[in-house]
Amino acid sequence: MLDLVIKDATVIDGTGAEGVSMDVGIEGDRIVEIAPSIEAESAETLNAAGLVLSPGFIDVHSHDDFHVLIEPEVRHNILQGITTVIVGNCGSGAGVPDGGKAQMTAINEPSAVLPDWSGYGEYFEHVDKTSPVLNVAALIGHHTLRKQAMGGIADRPPTDAEMTDMLAYVEEGMQAGAVGFSTGLVYEPGRYANTEEVAALAGISGKHGGLYVSHMRDEGTKLLDSVKETLHIGEVSGCGVEISHHKTVGKDNWGQVVQSLEMIEDAVAKGHDVAADQYPYTARSTALFALVQNGTFADGDGGPMGKSEPSEVLLCSVPGGPDLEGRTLQSFVEEFDLPGEEAANKLIHDYSESIVVAAFGMDEGDVRMVMAHWSTMIGTDGLDRGSKPHPRAWGTYPRVLGKYVREEGVISLENAIHKMTQMPAEKFGIENRGLVKKGYYADLVMFDPDTVIDGATYDNPRVGPTGMPHVIVNGQIAVRDGKPAGTRSGRALRRGQK
Ligand SMILES: [Zn+2]
């Protein structure tokens, strides 16, 4: 007797192949049968006529390291079909030995009360104990371990002893099952690290078969130099490379992705393992402090984070000032009668360095070009914090499927699903997931290709999709008829785990 049979689904399996009408049988946490018609008895049956059944989505660019422990229902992810998150992006990791996780909670989850843990081994144990609604794989974040080893934010190279500590932290994380090492070289303290420091740390990841994943030093005027640095680090560290949220920001820099995509093509043609990820929006989201520090509002070209006008900047979360959330920076320019940069500094001074904003500054044509390229997979880069988070936290996957696949035809449905499932599973070494295949884990999503669409907007961002009724994680129904079903069957996924 099977536990669950899904009837009459159009199975799009994740390989890029066209859909086929099939029944899918599940026993325990695995797919055990895929056939035109399954007659075997089953404890439960789901009718999926008219729905596409695909592998659950793998969000390669998550910042929910702490969220999965604090709010293990992780509604913003599960409702949009995400069944695995890869956390630890942009240099922000979940921890290092010696209780260093506290270093990161400040920016990601400022009010969080978390259990104590030390290192990635114990982080994964906490994930397993908590059993969030979805699976969690992790990258080791450079910022976190650099702060821990160097006593905070240090604008200098590490001493030999500090470097030894950092190398040991990466070693602990890789042995515990992390899938790679990430940097955020535009942010503190990553920006104070030179190429050699990063390459040496990434080398530990490479030794274990892990990736080097980077929010690069510059996504503005010097985008191409940053791609060059990233590819170089991948080469000398022996790591496969993942370029985070591939884009260029600042109007003067639009179109540079033509060259950055060519650089990826050249590197892959030479035999290197290089890919990228993307969220489907023209606004980024980041700390207001980082925009100021990188010259976004100053006179000139906008620097490494590109230029955004104060009218293009929306306050997403303001610790201590929730009533300010949703306002533009321009409204404070007028209220304070100060230029953009000074208005931003006053907000940071009066409230918090952890103010998060959404800032427009990307080109829709660039977004489409990057999405259509074979090197690009999908990730949310979401942070469901404050009352007005960037809508990508709730809308990324249904937006790609509704807007970019159905409405605009930028990519095919089969290709979009491939970029969300098999491609990230293979790149990040997530085994036995990412395909609808006999013997694979039953991480699945069902959606109506004719209606699926994101509901989250900048004004009203904490809204799930429509047209995505069912989500299954490790064989358990996690979303039923578009609502959380109350199960929590996610696990920590350690590198090499079958
Ligand atoms: Zn980033």
Side-chain angles (χ1 to χ4, degrees):
M1 170 132 145
L2 299 172
D3 292 319
L4 175 63
V5 170
I6 300 163
K7 300 290 283 182
D8 300 324
T10 301
V11 175
I12 299 183
D13 66 1
T15 60
E18 275 184 35
V20 189
S21 181
M22 286 283 174
D23 291 356
V24 174
I26 294 164
E27 212 176 282
D29 56 9
R30 302 271 183 162
I31 298 167
V32 294
E33 200 176 348
I34 304 170
S37 179
I38 297 177
E39 301 302 335
E41 260 192 72
S42 163
E44 180 162 17
T45 304
L46 268 182
N47 174 13
L51 300 178
V52 164
L53 172 76
S54 82
F57 306 139
I58 298 173
D59 180 0
V60 299
H61 199 105
S62 174
H63 287 292
D64 287 329
D65 313 47
F66 304 107
H67 197 118
V68 296
L69 300 177
I70 299 162
E71 260 183 66
E73 299 79 15
V74 209
R75 288 179 61 230
H76 62 287
N77 285 340
I78 198 71
L79 287 173
Q80 61 170 313
I82 297 168
T83 55
T84 295
V85 287
I86 296 168
V87 301
N89 277 281
C90 303
S92 302
V96 292
D98 316 319
K101 65 146 192 316
Q103 303 277 12
M104 272 323 300
T105 54
I107 180 80
N108 277 17
E109 303 284 349
S111 56
V113 180
L114 287 160
D116 283 324
W117 70 78
S118 178
Y120 281 86
E122 291 188 15
Y123 173 70
F124 288 135
E125 283 173 24
H126 275 288
V127 171
D128 278 332
K129 216 182 324 173
T130 305
S131 188
V133 71
L134 39 62
N135 304 307
V136 181
L139 299 162
I140 300 159
H142 177 225
H143 296 317
T144 320
L145 57 87
R146 198 179 200 272
K147 283 193 216 167
Q148 183 74 2
M150 298 177 70
I153 292 169
D155 181 5
R156 59 175 174 82
T159 64
D160 288 350
E162 288 163 346
M163 194 64 196
T164 302
D165 282 350
M166 286 199 273
L167 291 164
Y169 293 162
V170 182
E171 182 70 40
E172 185 279 333
M174 292 309 295
Q175 285 193 15
V179 293
F181 171 72
S182 87
T183 57
L185 299 179
V186 78
Y187 296 125
E188 290 185 321
R191 68 205 317 255
Y192 305 124
N194 62 25
T195 305
E196 289 68 33
E197 174 187 327
V198 176
L201 295 168
I204 306 291
S205 174
K207 186 184 80 180
H208 289 277
L211 295 178
Y212 174 58
V213 179
S214 185
H215 178 155
M216 299 184 295
R217 224 177 265 281
D218 194 314
E219 294 174 326
T221 46
K222 297 198 178 76
L223 172 73
L224 303 181
D225 290 343
S226 291
V227 174
K228 202 168 157 195
E229 182 189 30
T230 307
L231 296 175
H232 169 76
I233 290 168
E235 228 170 289
V236 300
S237 65
C239 288
V241 167
E242 173 81 359
I243 292 174
S244 296
H245 38 60
H246 189 182
K247 63 174 177 293
T248 181
V249 280
K251 204 168 188 158
D252 295 344
N253 309 314
W254 289 356
Q256 278 199 99
V257 293
V258 174
Q259 282 91 33
S260 55
L261 288 167
E262 281 172 9
M263 290 170 77
I264 293 175
E265 288 171 6
D266 289 348
V268 171
K270 285 187 195 131
H272 300 295
D273 169 20
V274 183
D277 53 73
Q278 179 191 42
Y279 50 83
Y281 295 86
T282 54
R284 61 279 185 51
S285 182
T286 189
L288 182 59
F289 174 78
L291 289 178
V292 172
Q293 185 175 49
N294 284 285
T296 298
F297 307 118
D299 293 337
D301 61 18
M305 298 184 92
K307 209 167 182 57
S308 284
E309 298 302 324
S311 60
E312 296 172 322
V313 176
L314 304 168
L315 273 57
C316 298
S317 80
V318 183
D323 50 317
L324 308 188
E325 291 166 3
R327 286 181 59 179
T328 64
L329 181 59
Q330 181 62 29
S331 74
F332 297 98
V333 165
E334 287 158 22
E335 182 180 322
F336 303 152
D337 195 20
L338 290 172
E341 181 166 318
E342 288 173 49
N345 273 327
K346 180 169 161 52
L347 288 169
I348 291 163
H349 175 267
D350 291 353
Y351 291 92
S352 168
E353 268 195 19
S354 300
I355 293 173
V356 174
V357 298
F360 291 87
M362 286 142 71
D363 174 47
E364 183 65 35
D366 284 357
V367 170
R368 290 179 194 168
M369 188 183 306
V370 170
M371 187 181 293
H373 197 264
W374 51 262
S375 65
T376 306
M377 48 193 114
I378 308 298
T380 66
D381 202 2
L383 197 60
D384 185 35
R385 232 187 80 193
S387 62
K388 300 283 182 187
H390 189 299
R392 65 194 182 184
W394 288 75
T396 289
Y397 288 85
R399 183 175 171 85
V400 171
L401 297 170
K403 175 178 161 68
Y404 289 96
V405 171
R406 184 181 62 245
E407 293 173 5
E408 300 181 7
V410 173
I411 48 175
S412 71
L413 180 57
E414 293 81 2
N415 188 18
I417 289 171
H418 177 67
K419 288 168 176 285
M420 299 168 174
T421 59
Q422 185 189 29
M423 189 176 169
E426 289 192 342
K427 177 81 186 182
F428 285 78
I430 309 290
E431 302 207 36
N432 294 320
R433 298 180 196 270
L435 289 176
V436 182
K437 188 176 170 183
K438 197 173 158 184
Y440 270 47
Y441 287 98
D443 289 351
L444 302 165
V445 55
M446 278 157 266
F447 62 89
D448 182 343
D450 296 330
T451 62
V452 64
I453 195 76
D454 54 318
T457 62
Y458 292 95
D459 284 339
N460 195 13
R462 307 189 72 216
V463 179
T466 50
M468 193 174 275
H470 311 306
V471 183
I472 293 173
V473 178
N474 292 315
Q476 303 288 312
I477 297 176
V479 175
R480 187 194 291 272
D481 298 323
K483 295 188 184 67
T487 55
R488 284 181 9 209
S489 53
R491 305 168 183 167
L493 303 184
R494 298 164 179 86
R495 186 177 35 77
Q497 181 180 312
K498 298 284 179 197

